[in-house]
Amino acid sequence: MAQRTARSRRLASVRALLARHPGPDAAFGRRLVLAVTATAAVAVPFALALVLVESRWPPLYRLDRTTAERLHRTALEHPAWVRVLDFFTGVVWDPVTMRLLVAALVVWLLTRRAWRLATWAAVTATSGALIGFLVKNVVERARPHLPEPVAHAPGFSFPSGHAMTAMTSCAVLLLVLLPLVPRAWRALPWALAATAVLGVGYTRVALGVHWVSDVVGGWLLGAAVVTATTLVFEAWRADTGRPRTAVSEGLEPEISSDADPEAPSRQAAVAPSDQGT
């Protein structure tokens, strides 16, 4: 009986504390918990993929080996197809090409005085590249060794740098540029991004320089990086009084207008003393 009474008192104290502090601190705490939860939820699939790769889980090993051998036979039978794949993976969807597109986007954002959005794009792309490089060198997974290889790539295999760069770069381009695309046409950039991300993955496996699990790992790790940086940007928007946006609307819809995208919203401009009256 005494234990139940003490527990009830503690719960009442917690409720009273929360009731007395419903302001910015409580809101920040809620956003922080949600951000950590969402990032962890996205990172868990990559962590699981990493564990399965490191433990050489038999079903995953068989999938990797069977897919690689089947696509390798196709590549040997169709050398012209190999040249097409090599062009797309080495020129159109090459990480250098993707990063140059993001760099051009950052420069354009700076000319628009969208400092924070430019910082978000640059940090997302850079952190994705660094994290992918670090994980690749920690895992040290060997690339596929196939008879009569049709392509070669240096370094380790997991996760695929091409797949991760495609995921982070396409996400950055989409989230920034979507507000500039008319609603009737917004399915097109989504389709182009999906084609690039999936196409990169296919070319890397078909050319025999990555396993399927390498590509999936790159996608998952790229998604985790984008989720983490996006949640930080959304927290900044909330702190400045800007409304929450849906993914389909882009990260900062205000970029489509001629107004200064860094200007505080009217809600944020109201003094705290005025908000309480």
Side-chain angles (χ1 to χ4, degrees), residues 38-52 158 216-217 220-221 224:
T39 304
V42 178
V44 163
F46 171 76
L48 177 60
L50 177 58
V51 170
L52 295 179
F158 182 90
V216 174
L220 293 175
L221 187 56

Side-chain angles (χ1 to χ4, degrees), residues 46 125-137 159 164 221 225:
F46 171 76
T126 304
S127 61
L130 292 176
I131 291 172
F133 176 79
L134 290 174
V135 173
K136 189 186 291 279
N137 284 274
M164 184 174 179
L221 187 56
V225 170

Side-chain angles (χ1 to χ4, degrees), residues 89-216:
T89 194
V91 179
V92 179
W93 296 324
D94 185 75
V96 174
T97 304
M98 293 289 188
R99 288 166 188 156
L100 286 175
L101 289 174
V102 174
L105 178 70
V106 170
V107 171
W108 176 76
L109 289 172
L110 292 175
T111 63
R112 299 267 303 187
R113 303 179 63 83
W115 314 116
R116 291 183 179 86
L117 195 57
T119 301
W120 171 82
V123 168
T124 301
T126 304
S127 61
L130 292 176
I131 291 172
F133 176 79
L134 290 174
V135 173
K136 189 186 291 279
N137 284 274
V138 168
V139 177
E140 294 186 344
R141 188 187 196 188
R143 292 182 182 271
H145 292 283
L146 301 168
E148 303 180 59
V150 298
H152 300 275
F156 298 111
S157 191
F158 182 90
S160 167
H162 277 68
M164 184 174 179
T165 303
M167 175 63 76
T168 55
S169 300
C170 288
V172 167
L173 293 168
L174 267 178
L175 291 175
V176 171
L177 297 178
L178 268 179
L180 304 176
V181 180
R183 291 182 181 277
W185 292 90
R186 286 188 181 177
L188 179 59
W190 281 102
L192 291 175
T195 300
V197 171
L198 295 175
V200 165
Y202 174 77
T203 60
R204 304 310 286 168
V205 179
L207 290 172
V209 293
H210 276 296
W211 306 106
V212 171
S213 53
D214 297 335
V215 169
V216 174

Side-chain angles (χ1 to χ4, degrees), residues 24 32 48 51 75 83 102 106 109 134 201 205 211 237 244 254 266 273-275:
L32 186 61
L48 177 60
V51 170
R83 290 192 292 271
V102 174
V106 170
L109 289 172
L134 290 174
V205 179
W211 306 106
R237 283 184 60 85
R244 184 178 297 276
E254 296 85 356
R266 291 184 178 180
S273 58
D274 294 336
Q275 291 177 348

